[in-house]
Coordinates of all heavy atoms in Angstrom, one line a residue:
P1 N 66.2 126.8 50.4 CA 66.2 125.5 49.6 C 67.6 125.0 49.3 O 67.8 123.8 49.4 CB 65.4 125.9 48.4 CG 64.5 127.0 48.8 CD 65.3 127.8 49.8
E2 N 68.5 125.8 49.1 CA 69.9 125.4 48.8 C 70.6 124.8 50.0 O 71.7 124.3 49.9 CB 70.7 126.5 48.1 CG 70.7 127.8 48.9 CD 69.7 128.8 48.3 OE1 68.6 128.4 48.0 OE2 70.0 130.0 48.2
D3 N 70.0 124.9 51.2 CA 70.6 124.3 52.4 C 70.2 122.8 52.5 O 70.6 122.1 53.3 CB 70.1 125.0 53.6 CG 70.7 126.4 53.8 OD1 71.9 126.6 53.5 OD2 69.9 127.3 54.2
T4 N 69.3 122.4 51.6 CA 68.9 121.0 51.5 C 70.1 120.1 51.3 O 70.8 120.3 50.3 CB 67.8 120.7 50.4 OG1 66.7 121.5 50.8 CG2 67.5 119.3 50.3
A5 N 70.3 119.1 52.2 CA 71.5 118.3 52.1 C 71.5 117.2 53.2 O 70.6 117.3 54.1 CB 72.8 119.1 52.2
V6 N 72.4 116.3 53.1 CA 72.6 115.4 54.3 C 73.7 116.1 55.1 O 74.8 116.4 54.6 CB 73.1 114.0 53.8 CG1 73.4 113.1 55.1 CG2 72.0 113.4 53.0
Y7 N 73.4 116.2 56.4 CA 74.3 116.9 57.3 C 75.0 115.8 58.2 O 74.4 114.9 58.7 CB 73.6 117.9 58.2 CG 73.2 119.1 57.5 CD1 72.2 119.1 56.5 CD2 73.8 120.3 57.7 CE1 71.9 120.2 55.8 CE2 73.5 121.5 57.0 CZ 72.5 121.4 56.0 OH 72.2 122.6 55.3
Y8 N 76.3 116.0 58.3 CA 77.2 115.1 59.0 C 77.9 115.8 60.2 O 78.5 116.8 59.9 CB 78.2 114.4 58.1 CG 77.7 113.6 57.0 CD1 77.4 114.1 55.8 CD2 77.5 112.2 57.2 CE1 76.9 113.4 54.7 CE2 77.0 111.4 56.1 CZ 76.7 112.0 54.9 OH 76.2 111.2 53.9
C9 N 77.9 115.2 61.3 CA 78.7 115.6 62.4 C 80.1 114.9 62.2 O 80.2 113.8 61.7 CB 78.1 115.1 63.7 SG 79.0 115.6 65.2
A10 N 81.1 115.6 62.6 CA 82.5 115.1 62.4 C 83.4 115.6 63.5 O 83.2 116.7 64.1 CB 83.0 115.6 61.0
A11 N 84.5 114.8 63.7 CA 85.5 115.2 64.7 C 86.9 115.0 64.1 O 87.2 114.0 63.4 CB 85.3 114.3 65.9
Q12 N 87.7 116.0 64.3 CA 89.1 116.0 63.8 C 90.0 116.3 64.9 O 89.7 117.2 65.8 CB 89.2 117.1 62.7 CG 90.6 117.2 62.2 CD 90.8 118.5 61.4 OE1 89.9 118.9 60.7 NE2 92.0 119.1 61.5
W13 N 91.1 115.6 65.0 CA 92.1 115.9 66.0 C 92.4 117.3 66.1 O 92.7 117.9 65.0 CB 93.3 115.0 65.7 CG 94.4 115.1 66.8 CD1 95.5 115.9 66.8 CD2 94.4 114.5 68.1 NE1 96.2 115.7 67.9 CE2 95.5 114.9 68.8 CE3 93.5 113.7 68.8 CZ2 95.8 114.5 70.1 CZ3 93.8 113.3 70.0 CH2 94.9 113.7 70.7
D14 N 92.3 117.9 67.2 CA 92.5 119.3 67.4 C 94.0 119.7 67.4 O 94.7 119.3 68.3 CB 91.8 119.8 68.7 CG 91.6 121.3 68.7 OD1 92.4 122.0 68.1 OD2 90.7 121.7 69.4
L15 N 94.4 120.4 66.4 CA 95.9 120.8 66.3 C 96.1 122.2 66.8 O 97.3 122.7 66.7 CB 96.3 120.7 64.8 CG 96.1 119.3 64.2 CD1 96.4 119.4 62.7 CD2 97.0 118.3 64.9
G16 N 95.1 122.8 67.4 CA 95.4 124.1 68.0 C 94.3 125.1 67.5 O 93.4 124.8 66.8
P17 N 94.6 126.4 67.8 CA 93.6 127.5 67.5 C 93.2 127.6 66.1 O 92.2 128.1 65.7 CB 94.3 128.7 68.0 CG 95.3 128.3 69.0 CD 95.8 126.9 68.5
K18 N 94.1 127.2 65.1 CA 93.8 127.3 63.7 C 93.1 126.1 63.1 O 92.8 126.1 61.9 CB 95.0 127.6 62.9 CG 95.6 129.0 63.3 CD 96.8 129.4 62.4 CE 97.3 130.7 62.7 NZ 98.4 131.1 61.8
T19 N 92.8 125.1 63.9 CA 92.2 123.8 63.4 C 90.9 124.1 62.6 O 90.7 123.6 61.5 CB 92.0 122.8 64.5 OG1 93.2 122.5 65.1 CG2 91.3 121.6 63.9
C20 N 90.1 124.9 63.2 CA 88.8 125.2 62.6 C 88.9 126.0 61.3 O 88.0 126.0 60.5 CB 87.8 125.9 63.6 SG 87.1 124.8 64.8
N21 N 90.0 126.8 61.2 CA 90.2 127.6 60.0 C 90.3 126.7 58.8 O 90.0 127.1 57.6 CB 91.5 128.4 60.1 CG 91.4 129.5 61.2 OD1 90.4 129.7 61.8 ND2 92.5 130.2 61.4
Y22 N 90.8 125.5 58.9 CA 91.0 124.6 57.8 C 89.8 123.6 57.6 O 90.0 122.7 56.8 CB 92.3 123.8 58.0 CG 93.5 124.7 58.1 CD1 94.1 125.0 59.3 CD2 94.0 125.3 56.9 CE1 95.2 125.8 59.4 CE2 95.1 126.2 57.0 CZ 95.7 126.4 58.3 OH 96.8 127.3 58.3
W23 N 88.7 123.9 58.3 CA 87.6 123.0 58.2 C 86.9 123.1 56.8 O 86.1 122.3 56.4 CB 86.6 123.5 59.2 CG 85.5 122.5 59.6 CD1 84.2 122.4 59.2 CD2 85.7 121.4 60.5 NE1 83.6 121.4 59.8 CE2 84.4 120.7 60.6 CE3 86.7 120.9 61.3 CZ2 84.2 119.6 61.4 CZ3 86.5 119.7 62.1 CH2 85.3 119.1 62.1
Y24 N 87.3 124.1 56.0 CA 86.5 124.5 54.8 C 87.3 124.3 53.5 O 86.8 124.5 52.4 CB 86.0 125.9 54.9 CG 85.4 126.2 56.3 CD1 86.2 126.9 57.2 CD2 84.2 125.7 56.6 CE1 85.6 127.1 58.5 CE2 83.7 125.9 57.9 CZ 84.4 126.6 58.8 OH 83.9 126.8 60.0
D25 N 88.5 123.8 53.6 CA 89.3 123.6 52.4 C 89.1 122.3 51.8 O 88.4 121.4 52.3 CB 90.8 123.9 52.7 CG 91.4 122.9 53.6 OD1 91.0 121.7 53.6 OD2 92.4 123.2 54.2
S26 N 89.7 122.0 50.6 CA 89.4 120.8 49.8 C 89.9 119.6 50.5 O 89.6 118.5 50.1 CB 90.0 121.0 48.4 OG 91.4 121.2 48.5
L27 N 90.8 119.7 51.5 CA 91.4 118.5 52.1 C 90.7 118.2 53.4 O 91.1 117.3 54.1 CB 92.9 118.8 52.3 CG 93.7 119.0 51.1 CD1 95.2 119.3 51.5 CD2 93.6 117.9 50.1

């Protein structure tokens, strides 16, 4: 139930192998 939400697809300029590592921070 806590997965209930609006889900958004998103694209960010790929800065290299660590790009996805920063997908989860406040910025």
Side-chain angles (χ1 to χ4, degrees):
E2 51 264 41
D3 293 319
T4 295
V6 178
Y7 285 69
Y8 296 89
C9 182
Q12 175 193 324
W13 183 256
D14 197 331
L15 299 174
K18 295 187 177 181
T19 300
C20 283
N21 292 355
Y22 300 103
W23 199 259
Y24 314 102
D25 67 26
S26 60
L27 301 178

